[in-house]
Amino acid sequence: MRAVVTGAAGFIGSHLCAHLLSQGDDVVGIDALTDFYPSTRKHRNLAGLVGHERFAFHYGDLLRLRLEPLFTQADAVYHLAGQPGVRGSWGDRFALYLERNVLVTQRVLEAARDTRLPRLVFASSSSVYGDAETCPTPETVRPRPVSPYGVTKLAAEQLCETYRTVFGVPTASLRLFSVYGPRQRPDMAFARLIEAAREGRPFPLYGDGGQSRDFTYVGDVVTAMRAAGRSSWTGVANLGGGSEVTMRQAIAVLGELGCPVRVVAGPSRPGDARRTSADITLARQAFGYRPGTDLRSGLASMVRGVPTPARPGSTR
């Protein structure tokens, strides 16, 4: 396949590019190298990609780049670019989230429509659910985001659905649940936990530790993205890790892996959902999604700093 990946220098984007290349695809990566976290990390993410004979990188802002020439020859576009992070989306910075998550997605969709793009896979988020009415949560549950970030991801997702139903743009929106793995963003919990353990610092835990997440290993996510990009299915689907784990349990696993952390309890933060848990039935039926990495194996790969190998029976 010929693929375009927006947000190619990011945590998930760089893993996706590497996976696509490993499967023989030609990849065009696009990234503006924004300053949400140090650009040196993004350059490191790109280091294993730049120079590959089937990888081309374009630096630039998606609101200003000419996308049509890049999309014209593509079999699939994977739209991962955006402004991440729940806690930073309040207050004056909301305008940035609106621009990078909503306006950018609308421009990507316009280019997809104008070039008659065969497939567009959009990285949505479990944050659209907020405090979901039921767990595990199916896609039929009404979204109730509890953060401005979740609002912008839901708006972008709805734009995808609108362009799909009105103009026939073949979009697949994947609601990602708490993705983790090597090269995880430095603001995310597991990356901060491992850093605190290595530096012997206490870790400020927001909430009582009983809050739970459906942690999903990045290797399973990017494999599912390619599967969705190669399928004919369109719509909205969850991508979860297959089990719900509390923060206390995850911290205990890190301790067993040689990364004990001294936790300092603090108040919960606005916008943090109490529970997330994905019903992944639709993704399994639509494009064969079966997460193959348990939390212990995935965290071990983070501690080592290298991806975990594929296991028999997994989708990786």
Side-chain angles (χ1 to χ4, degrees):
M1 292 181 67
R2 295 163 297 182
V4 173
V5 178
T6 73
F11 161 46
I12 303 174
S14 61
H15 278 277
L16 176 60
C17 289
H19 176 66
L20 295 173
L21 291 170
S22 76
Q23 299 301 303
D25 297 340
D26 296 317
V27 181
V28 172
I30 305 173
D31 206 294
L33 302 177
T34 57
D35 61 356
F36 182 76
Y37 56 90
S39 63
T40 52
R41 287 178 175 261
K42 296 181 181 180
H43 285 292
R44 286 201 297 269
N45 291 346
L46 288 172
L49 304 171
V50 174
H52 194 289
E53 62 181 0
R54 284 183 280 104
F55 180 77
F57 180 69
H58 291 260
Y59 167 77
D61 186 334
L62 289 167
L63 286 177
R64 294 165 182 82
L65 277 177
R66 289 190 63 228
L67 299 180
E68 288 78 7
L70 300 175
F71 286 13
T72 297
Q73 300 300 319
D75 296 306
V77 169
Y78 299 88
H79 179 39
L80 278 66
Q83 184 71 5
V86 168
R87 298 184 184 110
S89 63
W90 304 94
D92 293 342
R93 291 183 63 81
F94 178 69
L96 192 60
Y97 282 77
L98 183 63
E99 176 183 297
R100 293 179 179 174
N101 292 346
V102 181
L103 300 183
V104 162
T105 300
Q106 191 266 347
R107 187 153 192 269
V108 167
L109 286 162
E110 283 286 310
R113 180 191 65 176
D114 293 344
T115 58
R116 299 184 182 276
L117 183 72
R119 295 290 290 162
L120 176 64
V121 178
F122 170 61
S124 186
S125 169
S126 62
S127 291
V128 304
Y129 290 119
D131 288 311
E133 297 170 357
T134 60
C135 286
T137 308
E139 295 82 359
T140 52
V141 163
R142 179 171 61 91
R144 300 189 306 177
V146 292
S147 69
Y149 167 73
V151 170
T152 61
K153 294 301 283 187
L154 180 59
E157 185 185 287
Q158 288 296 304
L159 279 170
C160 289
E161 285 295 279
T162 300
Y163 275 74
R164 181 172 73 89
T165 56
V166 176
F167 298 116
V169 177
T171 62
S173 297
L174 306 179
R175 292 173 174 170
L176 311 185
F177 280 67
S178 301
V179 184
Y180 73 102
R183 304 199 302 271
Q184 189 184 47
R185 291 196 332 259
D187 61 297
M188 299 183 76
F190 287 165
R192 293 188 296 113
L193 278 162
I194 293 170
E195 183 180 27
R198 287 174 173 164
E199 296 181 357
R201 294 186 287 102
F203 178 80
L205 179 64
Y206 304 125
D208 60 9
Q211 63 270 37
S212 60
R213 295 290 180 267
D214 194 340
F215 295 109
T216 315
Y217 187 67
V218 65
D220 292 328
V221 168
V222 299
T223 301
M225 285 183 164
R226 185 174 187 269
R230 290 170 59 84
S231 75
S232 60
W233 173 83
T234 59
V236 179
N238 295 329
L239 290 187
S243 62
E244 185 180 358
V245 179
T246 68
M247 283 301 298
R248 281 195 297 265
Q249 291 170 326
I251 290 168
V253 171
L254 280 173
E256 295 167 3
L257 293 170
C259 280
V261 185
R262 181 165 61 89
V263 172
V264 177
S268 58
R269 293 294 186 93
D272 286 346
R274 180 67 178 175
R275 296 179 64 190
T276 68
S277 178
D279 182 332
I280 56 175
T281 303
L282 177 57
R284 183 172 63 249
Q285 294 172 345
F287 45 88
Y289 176 57
R290 287 178 175 80
T293 308
D294 62 85
L295 184 67
R296 185 182 184 86
S297 299
L299 286 177
S301 76
M302 286 192 70
V303 172
R304 294 193 310 267
V306 295
T308 133
R311 290 202 257 166
S314 79
T315 57
R316 300 182 52 211

